[in-house]
Amino acid sequence: MRRRELLQAAAAAVLLTGCTASPIPRPSPTPSGSTAPSASFTFATPAPPIALDPAVTADIESWRVTRQVLECLVTSDPDTGAPAPALATAWTQSADLLSWTFTLREGITFHDGTPFNAAAVKANFDRWYAFSPQFRSNHTGLAFTAVFKAHADQASLSLYKRCTVLGEHEVRIELTQPLTSFLAAMTTPAFAISSPAALKAGTADVEDQPSSGTKISRYAQHPVGTGPFRFREWTKDSVVLESSPTYWGPRGQISKLTLVVYDTPQSRLQALLAGTIDGYDAVTVENIETLVRKGLQVVRRDPFSVMYLGMNQAVPLLQNDKVRQAIAMGINKDAVIKPFFLEDTKAASQFVPPKLSGFNAAGGFPSYDPEKAKRLLSEAGYKGEELPFYYPLNVTRLYLPDPEKVYAELSAQLTLLGLNIKPVPVDWEDGYLQKVTTAGDHAFHLLGRYGSYSDPDDFLAPLFGAKNGEFGFFDAQIFSKIERARGLPDGNDRTQAYQNINGQIGSTAPAVPIAYPISAVAVSSRVATYPASPVLNETFNHVTLAAGA
């Protein structure tokens, strides 16, 4: 067994919770007279957030912050992944499958003191539905668009119809078509409920403040919700939150939470060893030896993401099916995974993780065959055109632990196939995400998708349910099949539909799935338990500290 395998096997022996999340206590009011949170806690992240308005960003680090501050109507159960009560205590679906009625939790206020009620829920849904075409053009990854397809200006195309206030604490959400994943989708941070007063005061839909190469609103600099922590400060390298004294659920032990940016694996590790931080996310291969040797605790998450090589069909060469197929069969995924990803990371055969229904065991993407790939490129008439390959700098993503090295390996493989690769490094904070997900000259790019709820729809609809600037492909048949599958009831027909879709995506190769990455958190001895979650539903009021910490 090689040294790296020995070290990673040893790491398994010091895991705090293994691969499965430790149970999170069900929310319940903090008993009167109980000890108020008093501990300060510092957690390192690999990148700063982009915007703190979760409705307009799907960035992992942005959502890490907003999960602490804002809450959804429903959350995901830490044991089963099924929808569980949050701001709504109960819900029912109509017999025609076209509406959901939610009973809301009573006696709750937002952090600005305004009441949480049905009117507040309606105000949020009305806002999302009304996003203008111009606003949407600046946010190609809007969760509302991915889930409901269209907005108020295209009402006939939208799966969303209206939100109606039925009483102070009762609201009904109506759809135009059945949507099987609706309730699960509502657990996504993008559908967290903001204070309507704060949205108005922060002119939430006017984006005139610079952030990470893009523009955000004043509200996106200061979110206001009902969560266990309230927002205090956001500077270049850190976000400071404080325990909300009015929180309706368990407040936990942490009174002050600081999320601080250390953008390299070594800097995060050194900060943990020095006691400067209490834990960090995005453990990498190069950290493992020291973590094992020092006996530090590592918490692994079940894999629930896919890292991929994006291809943009706005580049004429990549409109050719043979070229994309050649690229798909010319990549040795194991050569990318083994040196740079944590142990147990598996090669990806499709864009849906294996744990989800609809996973197609037969795959659909061609197997590794570099000689056949070269022949296909020749048959396609490739003449050596330059192909820009975008990759991020100065960042670690949970699905992409070492971007520069992953780029170098993939670029070398593509060059061996005979492609003329032009490297285009972009600093993450200079708007990398925006550049590769909107229309542009990027032929190739590195990115990934981290699942936020347990349904194949969460992966396939946002990536391949409609034409977008990231891939620039148009396949009416795939679009139609995804739309149909979304409305099928759970069961064999729906599973088979998604399996067929995965097979067809493999045969057309609009992008190439590379890995189902394992991600992990490292924490100090001060931490007794950390609430690891495959879907990253990790709130720090559920961190428990060791006695005397």
Side-chain angles (χ1 to χ4, degrees):
M1 186 179 289
R2 295 174 303 175
R3 177 177 175 80
R4 174 177 174 270
E5 291 170 335
L6 283 167
L7 289 169
Q8 294 201 336
V14 297
L15 294 183
L16 184 60
T17 62
C19 289
T20 304
S22 54
I24 299 174
R26 299 295 183 270
S28 59
T30 303
S32 59
S34 64
T35 303
S38 60
S40 293
F41 195 87
T42 303
F43 190 84
T45 65
I50 294 174
L52 302 183
D53 178 354
V56 302
T57 181
D59 171 60
I60 289 172
E61 298 307 329
S62 300
W63 278 3
R64 190 194 304 275
V65 177
T66 62
R67 285 183 192 274
Q68 318 304 320
V69 177
L70 299 127
E71 297 176 294
C72 300
L73 295 178
V74 290
T75 188
S76 54
D77 184 280
D79 299 322
T80 66
L87 289 178
T89 59
W91 47 85
T92 57
Q93 186 179 23
S94 62
D96 63 5
L97 309 181
L98 293 179
S99 70
W100 290 81
T101 300
F102 292 89
T103 301
L104 306 180
R105 203 172 291 276
E106 300 184 24
I108 297 176
T109 59
F110 291 100
H111 298 151
D112 60 4
T114 59
F116 166 76
N117 52 28
V121 174
K122 176 177 167 55
N124 279 262
F125 273 89
D126 286 352
R127 178 205 173 205
W128 305 328
Y129 186 46
F131 282 151
S132 70
Q134 178 59 45
F135 189 89
R136 301 197 304 269
S137 70
N138 296 327
H139 299 282
T140 56
L142 284 173
F144 189 96
T145 312
V147 172
F148 297 111
K149 289 189 57 179
H151 297 254
D153 60 304
Q154 298 176 308
S156 63
L157 302 177
S158 181
L159 274 66
Y160 174 84
K161 187 174 184 179
R162 68 173 66 93
C163 179
T164 303
V165 172
L166 301 179
E168 182 71 10
H169 297 102
E170 190 174 37
V171 66
R172 183 175 63 232
I173 297 171
E174 297 175 48
L175 309 176
T176 60
Q177 300 175 37
L179 180 60
T180 303
S181 63
F182 169 79
L183 197 61
M186 292 301 100
T187 68
T188 304
F191 295 104
I193 306 299
S194 293
S195 161
L199 289 170
K200 181 177 181 181
T203 53
D205 298 337
V206 178
E207 299 183 310
D208 54 6
Q209 307 295 312
S211 176
S212 296
T214 186
K215 292 290 185 71
I216 65 174
S217 69
R218 287 190 295 113
Y219 177 76
Q221 296 177 324
H222 193 303
V224 180
T226 59
F229 294 89
R230 60 189 182 188
F231 178 84
R232 186 164 140 188
E233 182 183 35
W234 180 13
T235 61
K236 183 179 184 298
D237 295 320
S238 68
V239 174
V240 179
L241 309 174
E242 60 186 9
S243 177
S244 172
T246 61
Y247 185 53
W248 58 270
R251 294 177 62 194
Q253 296 172 271
I254 298 170
S255 62
K256 178 184 177 183
L257 172 62
T258 303
L259 300 170
V260 60
V261 178
Y262 286 83
D263 61 9
T264 67
Q266 189 63 22
S267 66
R268 292 191 292 276
L269 175 62
Q270 291 302 319
L272 183 63
L273 295 175
T276 306
I277 61 175
D278 299 297
Y280 71 86
D281 206 352
V283 171
T284 62
V285 168
E286 62 197 84
N287 295 163
I288 291 294
E289 180 174 1
T290 302
L291 290 168
V292 171
R293 182 161 39 85
K294 297 290 186 179
L296 290 166
Q297 303 171 89
V298 178
V299 190
R300 296 202 312 178
R301 303 181 181 97
D302 287 333
F304 200 60
S305 64
V306 59
M307 175 259 159
Y308 57 82
L309 172 72
M311 295 188 285
N312 181 11
Q313 292 183 38
V315 175
L317 178 70
L318 295 176
Q319 294 172 8
N320 190 313
D321 289 350
K322 285 187 176 181
V323 172
R324 297 196 311 277
Q325 284 290 314
I327 291 165
M329 69 178 60
I331 294 175
N332 182 347
K333 297 177 183 179
D334 286 339
V336 178
I337 293 168
K338 288 181 179 179
F340 310 126
F341 289 79
L342 293 180
E343 189 82 358
D344 295 329
T345 293
K346 304 298 184 185
S349 61
Q350 57 206 269
F351 282 87
V352 170
K355 69 186 297 180
L356 292 181
S357 65
F359 177 81
N360 188 337
F365 280 83
S367 57
Y368 178 52
D369 190 340
E371 295 309 312
K372 184 176 180 181
K374 291 176 184 177
R375 291 197 300 272
L376 283 178
L377 281 177
S378 177
E379 292 171 11
Y382 176 59
K383 303 298 184 183
E385 297 96 322
E386 190 174 69
L387 297 167
F389 191 154
Y390 282 57
Y391 63 97
L393 299 176
N394 301 316
V395 72
T396 302
R397 307 303 286 170
L398 300 187
Y399 51 74
L400 187 59
D402 204 328
E404 292 97 328
K405 292 179 181 177
V406 170
Y407 161 77
E409 174 61 34
L410 284 172
S411 176
Q413 292 189 26
L414 295 176
T415 300
L416 284 174
L417 290 180
L419 297 175
N420 181 8
I421 300 297
K422 175 187 176 182
V424 185
V426 179
D427 195 287
W428 182 263
E429 291 193 51
D430 287 341
Y432 176 82
L433 193 61
Q434 179 79 2
K435 286 179 171 65
V436 301
T437 57
T438 54
D441 70 338
H442 49 93
F444 303 115
H445 64 277
L446 296 180
L447 209 59
R449 180 163 184 84
Y450 214 108
S452 54
Y453 58 94
S454 295
D455 194 280
D457 187 43
D458 187 32
F459 287 84
L460 296 182
L463 293 173
F464 306 116
K467 186 174 181 179
N468 58 46
E470 182 176 3
F471 305 125
F473 88 111
F474 185 91
D475 191 318
Q477 189 179 71
I478 287 179
F479 297 166
S480 177
K481 286 184 175 181
I482 290 175
E483 181 176 0
R484 174 179 175 273
R486 303 178 78 206
L488 292 174
D490 280 326
N492 290 335
D493 286 349
R494 191 171 193 260
T495 297
Q496 185 63 55
Y498 277 115
Q499 287 175 342
N500 291 340
I501 291 165
N502 282 321
Q504 188 169 347
I505 290 172
S507 67
T508 58
V512 184
I514 304 293
Y516 299 125
I518 294 285
S519 67
V521 170
V523 293
S524 73
S525 59
R526 189 174 179 231
V527 178
T529 63
Y530 179 87
S533 163
V535 296
L536 305 182
N537 186 19
E538 300 166 2
T539 55
F540 284 79
N541 60 318
H542 294 303
V543 169
T544 57
L545 303 178

